Amino acid sequence: MTVYRKQKMQNKDELYTKLLDIARIISKSICAIYLLTCFIPIVCSQTVNYSPAYFGPNALPVPEFSDGTIPKETMLILSGNHFFGFGDITTSFDLRVEIPLLPEYVSFEIWYTGFETWRVTQEIYDHRNMMGDKLQGTAWGEFYVETRMLLLKEQERRPGIILNSTLKAAAGTNFEQRRHYDTPGYYFNVETGK
C-alpha cells in the first residue's frame, strides 16, 4: 500500500511539474505576443502630429462670428476661399445654411467646408509627414452641425450674447495627405455683438 501511495504521489508531482511547464510556456507566449503587438505598430507606423500646422487650412476652420443676432428667416450662404502662403495653396468652396427654429431666439445651422483643391511644396510634404507621392490633389471637407441660442437680447446699453454648440462629423477625406482630421469632435463658443 505504501508503494501505491508513493507512486500516486510521484504521478501527482509529475503532473504538477508538467502543468507548471505548460503555464510557463503559455505565459512566455503571451508576453511575446504582447510585446510584438506593442512594437509592430511603432515600427510600421508613421508619426502624425495632430496640430493645425500639420494639416490643411480647412482641417480646423475658425468658426465665423456673426453680429450677435439670430436671423428671422432661413439663410443660405455659398462662399469660396483661397489660401496661399507657407507652401500650401488651397482653394475651397463652403456652404452654410441657418434655419431659425424660434426666429431671433434659436437656430439650427449646418456648414460644410466643401470641396477643395490643394498643392503643397516638397518641404511642407516632408514637414507634415504626408503619405503617398502626391504634391497636389482634391479633398472633401467636414460637416458641422450647430445650434445657436440667444442668451441675452441686445438692448440700448447691452450687447446680445449667443451660445453656440457645434458637432463635427468625421466626413473629411485625404487624412493621408493631411488635409482633414479623421475624427469627430465638438466645441462650444459664445459670441457677442451690438
Side-chain angles (χ1 to χ4, degrees):
M1 192 133 183
T2 56
V3 173
Y4 177 72
R5 281 187 183 167
K6 275 188 175 180
Q7 190 175 15
K8 197 172 180 184
M9 290 292 282
Q10 283 179 343
N11 288 342
K12 282 184 179 180
D13 288 342
E14 288 175 9
L15 181 64
Y16 181 71
T17 305
K18 286 182 182 179
L19 286 174
L20 279 177
D21 290 340
I22 291 171
R24 285 186 192 118
I25 290 170
I26 290 173
S27 68
K28 286 180 182 179
S29 299
I30 289 172
C31 286
I33 291 170
Y34 175 74
L35 289 174
L36 281 174
T37 57
C38 287
F39 289 116
I40 286 176
I42 293 171
V43 172
C44 298
S45 73
Q46 188 177 28
T47 303
V48 177
N49 190 329
Y50 287 93
S51 69
Y54 292 85
F55 280 80
N58 289 319
L60 285 177
V62 176
E64 290 184 18
F65 288 94
S66 71
D67 58 355
T69 60
I70 293 177
K72 294 178 184 178
E73 297 177 354
T74 299
M75 293 177 43
L76 174 66
I77 300 169
L78 181 62
S79 63
N81 295 303
H82 183 72
F83 303 94
F84 57 92
F86 306 109
D88 187 342
I89 298 173
T90 302
T91 302
S92 63
F93 299 97
D94 304 333
L95 175 67
R96 181 179 300 268
V97 178
E98 186 170 6
I99 304 165
L101 302 176
L102 290 172
E104 298 183 354
Y105 290 96
V106 178
S107 71
F108 177 75
E109 185 172 354
I110 298 173
W111 48 290
Y112 179 50
T113 55
F115 180 75
E116 71 177 22
T117 59
W118 56 272
R119 185 174 70 236
V120 296
T121 62
Q122 186 66 44
E123 182 182 357
I124 292 296
Y125 177 92
D126 296 338
H127 176 71
R128 292 181 180 170
N129 211 2
M130 295 168 68
M131 298 168 68
D133 56 356
K134 293 182 180 180
L135 293 179
Q136 64 183 12
T138 59
W140 292 95
E142 306 281 2
F143 278 100
Y144 294 83
V145 178
E146 184 172 71
T147 303
R148 302 179 69 227
M149 297 165 278
L150 181 69
L151 296 179
L152 198 58
K153 192 163 182 145
E154 178 184 339
Q155 291 183 353
E156 187 178 325
R157 295 181 179 233
R158 178 178 73 200
I161 299 175
I162 294 177
L163 172 66
N164 296 326
S165 169
T166 307
L167 295 174
K168 172 190 165 297
T173 61
N174 291 20
F175 173 77
E176 296 80 16
Q177 282 84 33
R178 309 299 183 248
R179 300 314 300 171
H180 297 281
Y181 294 97
D182 192 19
T183 59
Y186 64 91
Y187 66 86
F188 299 93
N189 66 326
V190 175
E191 60 183 87
T192 182
K194 186 160 174 57

